[in-house]
Amino acid sequence: MTTVGILGGGQLARMMALAGAPLGVRFLVMDSAADACAGQFAPMVVGDYRDHAALTEFASRVDVATFDFENVPAESARWLSGRIDVYPNPHALAIAQDRLAEKTLFGELGIPVPPFAAVDSLQSLEAAVARIGLPAILKTRRLGYDGKGQFRIRSRSDVAGAWAALGAQAPRVGLILEGFVHFERELSVVAVRSRSGEFRAWPVTENWHVDGVLSASLAPAQVDEAIAQQAVAHAERLASALDYVGVFALELFLRDGSLLANELAPRVHNSGHWTIEGSETSQFENHLRAVLGRPLGDTRMRGIACMLNWVGELPEADAVLGEPGGHWHDYGKSPRDGRKVGHATLCADDAALLGNPLRRVGQRLGREEQVAPVIERLGG
Ligand code: AMP
């Protein structure tokens, strides 16, 4: 029996373990928190990702290692890869951990990006603002996620405040200034690449964020076929360049009919949760198939799907379970402000049939604002 080790024990590891059960795969999860929610479905090693004793134990009990969390120290991933197979490879992980390295790679591969510049002092921030223009966003290069570690600079008078907010972190995590993109849509490509280099993408997804956190996803994105094909082509070029194995997401902005790449997430992704019920093979199953060197599953969709994220606390499940295409995911976490505690997916045969269930769920849960942009996109 094969054991997959997962570094990080959050909801992504939990959904991976659920997807792996029918394949006969065992799991071992490593996390620094003993109450990590994947631990409800898989044995755990509790330890710091830098602790070699904990990593040694983890490595001795698994056949292959992967991640539910991209901020596992790249040195630890490299250390592990000297002992067991690690997918995605530590180089790909290291690039995706650093916004500057990933944007530089996108540029080298001909994938358009917003203007950006490295920042390491107030003077270099001022120079970057002069070059890139305003509005712009100052971000930490490493360890940022869900809009954390970001400061929006609207006018020159915000520059000192931005440096005061993030400057102290510059020596540890680095900073990057990015031009603010007045996008029409946010899109993501969730895709998988196998050990032998086979590449498959799910239909492109449109995403809506609130306060930097994903709120809703719609797949397939209602965009021109040419845009969707270009997004997938960018993802394929990136995956080949990194010799990537497993599932990843490429987040993109659509502005004036053109795509700009925002970031690469080197793992299964929140914008791909709809694939569990909405596609032939889920992102979680295909990630496992890829890292285990098994044939990849079909990424074809069945109809249309909308995912709603539950952040902070779970609403009442029955409003979703009462819908014919409604599916519920409770991550088994205690409620906390800003924490992703679950999601729902609503599936329908076509766009015309998705609006009404979404409207009903929005009303019953008092989440009209959350579903409104999706309903509008569906033409309702
Ligand atoms: P990130 O952590 O880079 O994915 O950023 C979180 C969210 O902030 C994105 O999904 C966007 O909604 C927004 N955002 C990030 N970077 C930019 C940008 N350069 N221009 C406009 N919005 C951005």
Side-chain angles (χ1 to χ4, degrees), residues 99 137 139 147 150 178-181 183 186 209 212 251 253 262-263:
R99 291 183 192 276
I137 306 189
K139 299 181 177 180
Q150 301 193 4
E178 296 178 9
F180 186 84
V181 181
F183 54 80
E186 286 195 79
H209 293 81
E251 297 180 18
F253 299 127
N262 178 32
E263 71 173 344

Side-chain angles (χ1 to χ4, degrees), residues 81-152:
S81 70
R83 288 156 181 82
I84 49 171
D85 288 337
V86 175
Y87 299 113
N89 67 70
H91 171 66
L93 186 73
I95 297 281
Q97 284 176 346
D98 182 347
R99 291 183 192 276
L100 185 66
E102 82 187 349
K103 288 220 161 56
T104 304
L105 177 65
F106 294 161
E108 285 166 8
L109 295 174
I111 302 172
V113 284
F116 65 92
V119 167
D120 56 13
S121 63
L122 180 56
Q123 288 89 319
S124 66
L125 174 58
E126 279 162 354
V129 166
R131 184 161 76 72
I132 289 171
L134 293 176
I137 306 189
L138 184 64
K139 299 181 177 180
T140 57
R141 279 170 56 179
R142 288 182 289 278
L143 300 177
Y145 67 100
D146 285 347
K148 293 185 178 64
Q150 301 193 4
F151 195 101
R152 206 137 140 201

Side-chain angles (χ1 to χ4, degrees), residues 64-67 85-90 195 243-246 287 290-292:
V64 55
T66 188
F67 310 92
D85 288 337
V86 175
Y87 299 113
N89 67 70
R195 287 200 204 178
D243 193 19
Y244 195 95
V245 173
H287 183 71
V291 304
L292 292 168

